[in-house]
Amino acid sequence: MERTARGAAPARAARHFSIWLCILCLQACVAPRHIHELGDTLPTMGAERALALLDDYTPPLRDYPQYLLDRGMLHFYLGDFAASIEDWQQAKALLADTQALSLSETAGALTINETLRSYAGSPHERVALHSFLALSYLGLGDLAGARVEVLQADVLMRQLSSESVLRGNLAAARYIGGVVFELNGEQDDALISYRKARAILQENRRPIPDALKASLDRLEEADNAPRRTTSRQQHSLFVFYFDGVVTSMRQHHLPIFAPELNQLVQIALPYYPPVRHSTGHLRVGAEGQTYGTETITDFDALARADLDARMPGIIAVTTARAVAKYQSVRAAQKEDEMAGLFLNLFTLATEWADTRSWRTLPATLQILRLPLPDDPVIKLVNGNLGIDTTADGRNTVVITSSLNRDSPTVQAFQPPATGRHPIIERGLEP
């Protein structure tokens, strides 16, 4: 009987080891370093090479929404809006599904670490997704598609605002919505969107860009004098400039006191290292003068603020998980020293912080608005930009980034016809 008992201990230990080894293999399915730090290296390697790296990488299913967000952003930087729309529409559907986590994912997150949950994105990432989709549709000249996305962004921001004031509300999303409505001839809705953009900036004590001021002045003047005939000079050049890339999150291990154990336990927490990117601005020459883009949303600052807001909850959950792991190890050691050893190694190896984020988001989104005369002479300083307008003038949208500023996308839009709005006739009104 004693010999049997002695033989059972190694067997139990082996079984424990096999189980934990399987879980460790699952845990090992995290992004390799060159993928995790893609955003940090993107400005030097370029979007084309970064896209090739992503195409060669197969993410675990739980990280697939994050993968699609990044791949769509790289397509966007390269001006391939059809591909960015395809990736982002898939990501949008997956993110909607992951808002309700499965029981198995919740159990894994509570016992191992948070990276076993499906990537759900932060509030500002989910709003930005709709806004960037709207810009992609504008890049293809599809006002109807852009309008659908800004309406969906509005619904999402309203939902988020009901949970927390200004949570997930982006001035950039409201401004993009205003531009889309204005291009569609919906002046009242455009004015409402521009005013909401201003309110968000004021609430966060951010400067109001001249482009937003010009949009408000133009529409408020028209609102006060609705019968005034709009001149040709009122057609506009709208510039959207994506500068830099957000900083990638890192993790560090910290000791923290656990009252339940009356001792210190080690936990892993995410953090953002100092910003290395120096904000640049696009210079645009028009009619003999030079103008610069201005920041409307700082995504790097938003990401840091979001992490700061979540940190108390992260610490609480991570500490509770560390205490549970410690108690499991202690119980296993009482039953079987070898099993306790393996379990202790497992808990140390799986102490990972969730540092996932939309790695390729721009550091800032900047805007510029200029009046567009009939025969404009518009150029990017140190870049190339050609604009052709018809005799009656057209509103023109320019989309570019610090990664491809010499190859901007230029899309002109005819003024909307009078009468019933064609997009509403197509049944796209929510």
Side-chain angles (χ1 to χ4, degrees):
M1 188 72 176
E2 182 179 352
R3 184 177 300 175
T4 303
R6 288 178 178 176
R12 285 198 303 270
R15 284 196 298 271
H16 281 296
F17 180 75
S18 298
I19 293 171
W20 299 130
L21 183 60
C22 290
I23 300 177
L24 279 172
C25 290
L26 175 64
Q27 175 61 24
C29 294
V30 294
R33 183 172 180 178
H34 71 282
I35 296 295
H36 176 69
E37 298 179 1
L38 189 69
D40 290 342
T41 56
L42 178 56
T44 54
M45 78 166 65
E48 190 170 357
R49 184 181 169 195
L51 184 59
L53 289 176
L54 269 189
D55 286 338
D56 289 338
Y57 169 63
T58 302
L61 288 177
R62 63 182 180 274
D63 293 343
Y64 201 60
Q66 178 195 24
Y67 173 83
L68 290 170
L69 290 175
D70 285 330
R71 195 171 70 177
M73 195 81 245
L74 294 175
H75 283 304
F76 182 90
Y77 288 144
L78 292 170
D80 189 350
F81 298 122
S84 67
I85 288 171
E86 182 178 355
D87 281 342
W88 283 342
Q89 289 291 3
Q90 290 184 60
K92 187 168 69 173
L94 290 174
L95 289 174
D97 291 339
T98 55
Q99 295 306 304
L101 295 174
S102 69
L103 291 177
S104 60
E105 286 185 326
T106 301
L110 292 176
T111 58
I112 302 174
N113 64 50
E114 292 294 322
T115 65
L116 295 186
R117 292 186 192 271
S118 291
Y119 184 76
S122 67
H124 73 265
E125 289 176 356
R126 283 155 40 212
V127 173
L129 175 57
H130 288 292
S131 300
F132 296 170
L133 272 166
L135 288 179
S136 292
Y137 282 115
L138 284 185
L140 295 178
D142 185 353
L143 282 170
R147 187 174 183 274
V148 169
E149 293 301 329
V150 298
L151 289 173
Q152 291 182 356
D154 176 68
V155 171
L156 178 56
M157 285 187 283
R158 288 173 185 270
Q159 292 173 346
L160 293 169
S161 294
S162 66
E163 301 171 10
S164 174
V165 178
L166 293 182
R167 181 172 181 256
N169 274 260
L170 303 184
R174 292 301 185 186
Y175 178 80
I176 291 169
V179 172
V180 171
F181 287 132
E182 191 173 348
L183 293 175
N184 275 313
E186 300 170 274
Q187 307 302 317
D188 291 343
D189 289 331
L191 181 56
I192 291 171
S193 289
Y194 289 142
R195 284 172 174 170
K196 288 182 177 179
R198 179 177 59 188
I200 293 170
L201 292 169
Q202 289 174 334
E203 182 70 22
N204 289 283
R205 299 181 180 179
R206 298 284 184 179
I208 299 175
D210 288 339
L212 178 55
K213 293 178 182 177
S215 299
L216 286 164
D217 289 344
R218 181 180 184 277
L219 293 186
E220 286 174 345
E221 181 181 356
D223 190 49
N224 292 329
R227 295 183 181 180
R228 179 182 175 184
T229 302
T230 302
S231 68
R232 293 178 182 176
Q233 296 293 323
Q234 288 188 318
H235 294 290
S236 298
L237 172 73
F238 300 93
V239 179
F240 294 93
Y241 179 59
F242 292 70
D243 182 60
V245 185
V246 293
T247 308
S248 295
M249 265 194 286
R250 299 285 192 272
Q251 72 165 1
H252 53 182
H253 291 80
L254 296 174
I256 191 166
F257 181 75
E260 304 94 326
L261 305 175
N262 196 32
Q263 69 175 58
L264 294 174
V265 294
Q266 183 170 267
I267 62 174
L269 296 175
Y271 77 99
Y272 279 104
V275 177
R276 299 176 183 175
H277 172 71
S278 178
T279 302
H281 300 274
L282 184 68
R283 307 296 296 176
V284 178
E287 302 300 312
Q289 297 188 51
T290 302
Y291 304 87
T293 55
E294 296 177 276
T295 298
I296 187 165
T297 294
D298 186 330
F299 286 101
D300 207 303
L302 272 178
R304 293 169 188 273
D306 175 71
L307 181 60
D308 288 343
R310 292 188 297 117
M311 188 56 68
I314 292 173
I315 292 175
V317 170
T318 306
T319 302
R321 185 171 53 241
V323 169
K325 286 181 177 181
Y326 179 88
Q327 291 172 334
S328 296
V329 169
R330 189 161 57 183
Q333 287 175 335
K334 290 180 180 179
E335 179 184 346
D336 188 313
E337 289 187 6
M338 187 64 69
L341 173 62
F342 287 140
L343 184 55
N344 189 44
L345 292 174
F346 164 74
T347 59
L348 293 174
T350 57
E351 186 54 35
W352 283 81
D354 189 355
T355 58
R356 295 173 299 174
S357 65
W358 190 345
R359 293 165 293 213
T360 52
L361 269 177
T364 62
L365 174 54
Q366 302 174 20
I367 58 174
L368 174 67
R369 178 173 184 162
L370 298 174
L372 194 60
D374 291 339
D375 299 310
V377 179
I378 306 287
K379 66 178 181 178
L380 298 184
V381 177
N382 298 324
N384 302 302
L385 171 61
I387 294 181
D388 296 321
T389 61
T390 59
D392 58 353
R394 290 190 291 177
N395 288 312
T396 303
V397 173
V398 173
I399 303 171
T400 189
S401 77
S402 57
L403 300 177
N404 70 339
R405 60 185 298 164
D406 291 339
S407 302
T409 296
V410 180
Q411 189 66 251
F413 295 90
Q414 291 284 8
T418 58
R420 182 170 175 80
H421 199 281
I423 292 178
I424 298 178
E425 288 181 349
R426 288 172 56 182
L428 295 179
E429 189 73 18

